[in-house]
Amino acid sequence: NAGVTQTPKFQVLKTGQSMTLQCAQDMNHEYMSWYRQDPGMGLRLIHYSVGAGITDQGEVPNGYNVSRSTTEDFPLRLLSAAPSQTSVYFCASSPTRNQGSGYTFGSGTRLTVV
Amino acid sequence: TQLLEQSPQFLSIQEGENLTVYCNSSSVFSSLQWYRQEPGEGPVLLVTVVTGGEVKKLKRLTFQFGDARKDSSLHITAAQPGDTGLYLCAGTQGGSEKLVFGKGMKLTVNP
C-alpha cells in the first residue's frame, strides 16, 4: 500500500519556468490538498479538492493551479516560478469529509527557484 | 493572523523528563489533530480529538481537547530521544474540510 506518492522529491527551477508537481494516492480518498512548508511559517494550504472535478482555494493560492480529473491524482502546477515559491510542498489526502479521519501526507517535494 | 498558536515553539530536554505542548485558539474547532514530523518526511498523524474534554492516550503521549473546543494539549511522559521531531497541531472548523496548522513545536530530547 503506497499511500500518497509525490514526485519529484527535489527540483530546481529558473525564474519564469513552469512545472507540475505530481501527487497520487491509492487509498480511494475523496479529499486531497496541497500545502507548502516554510521555516517559521508552518504548513499553509494552497489548494484542496473534495472530490474528482471539484477544487477550491486555500490560504496561499496565487501562482498555483490545480485540477482533479480522477480520484487518485491531484497535480499542482506552477505557472511561472518565482523565488518566493521556493519551499517544501506536501500533498495530503483524507478518506472522507469526516473531520475525525486524519490526513495522510506524502514525503514532500523540495523546490528551489533560482 | 495565525488561527492556531502553539507553545513553546522550541524545547530541548533531557531523556526522562516530562513536557507539555499547547495549542490555543480564540476560535472553536470541530476537530483537533496532532501530527509528528521528522526531517525530510511528511507529517504523520498521531491522534484526532473531536469531543470537548476528550482525553486520548497513545503510550507515553496524552492528548486533551479543551471543554470549549478552542484548545488542546499534548503531554509526553518520560521523553525519549526517539520523540525528537516537530509536533504540529491542526484543526477543522464547522463543516469545512480545510485543515489549518499551527507553526509547530520543535522538540529535541537529548540522551
Side-chain angles (χ1 to χ4, degrees), chain A residues 1-112:
Chain A
N1 191 353
V4 178
T5 302
Q6 290 185 238
T7 56
K9 288 192 178 298
F10 301 94
Q11 183 71 51
V12 179
L13 287 179
K14 293 183 178 179
T15 297
Q17 286 185 319
S18 62
M19 79 160 293
T20 299
L21 279 63
Q22 302 292 343
C23 175
Q25 52 92 6
D26 61 357
M27 299 171 285
N28 201 32
H29 285 179
E30 276 188 67
Y31 184 87
M32 296 185 75
S33 56
W34 276 101
Y35 290 86
R36 59 178 290 175
Q37 187 173 36
D38 303 291
M41 299 295 292
L43 284 151
R44 292 181 292 170
L45 182 64
I46 304 171
H47 285 285
Y48 67 101
S49 168
V50 300
I54 307 169
T55 64
D56 206 346
Q57 296 181 350
E59 302 171 63
V60 288
N62 292 340
Y64 307 96
N65 269 359
V66 291
S67 59
R68 183 97 179 269
S69 55
T70 67
T71 299
E72 294 77 20
D73 300 299
F74 190 42
L76 178 71
R77 280 181 285 277
L78 278 70
L79 309 173
S80 177
S84 61
Q85 294 178 304
T86 293
S87 187
V88 182
Y89 291 84
F90 289 100
C91 179
S93 72
S94 179
T96 66
R97 298 186 189 189
N98 179 355
Q99 292 137 1
S101 302
Y103 288 69
T104 301
F105 280 80
S107 57
T109 295
R110 185 174 294 273
L111 175 68
T112 302

Side-chain angles (χ1 to χ4, degrees), chain B residues 84-95:
Chain B
T84 293
L86 180 67
Y87 288 82
L88 296 154
C89 71
T92 56
Q93 294 183 290

Side-chain angles (χ1 to χ4, degrees), chain B residues 21-97:
Chain B
V21 186
Y22 298 95
C23 178
N24 296 306
S25 177
S26 57
S27 303
V28 175
F29 285 85
S30 49
S31 77
L32 243 293
Q33 301 171 17
W34 285 91
Y35 292 80
R36 179 167 164 266
Q37 185 179 21
E38 297 192 38
E41 297 296 328
V44 175
L45 179 71
L46 295 173
V47 78
T48 299
V49 285
V50 298
T51 305
E54 184 176 5
V55 177
K56 283 191 175 180
K57 292 192 175 183
L58 185 65
K59 297 183 180 177
R60 293 176 294 100
L61 278 59
T62 301
F63 305 86
Q64 185 161 7
F65 200 11
D67 290 341
R69 293 188 289 136
K70 292 183 179 181
D71 55 86
S72 181
S73 64
L74 159 59
H75 182 79
I76 302 179
T77 303
Q80 299 176 0
D83 295 327
T84 293
L86 180 67
Y87 288 82
L88 296 154
C89 71
T92 56
Q93 294 183 290
S96 173
E97 299 88 359

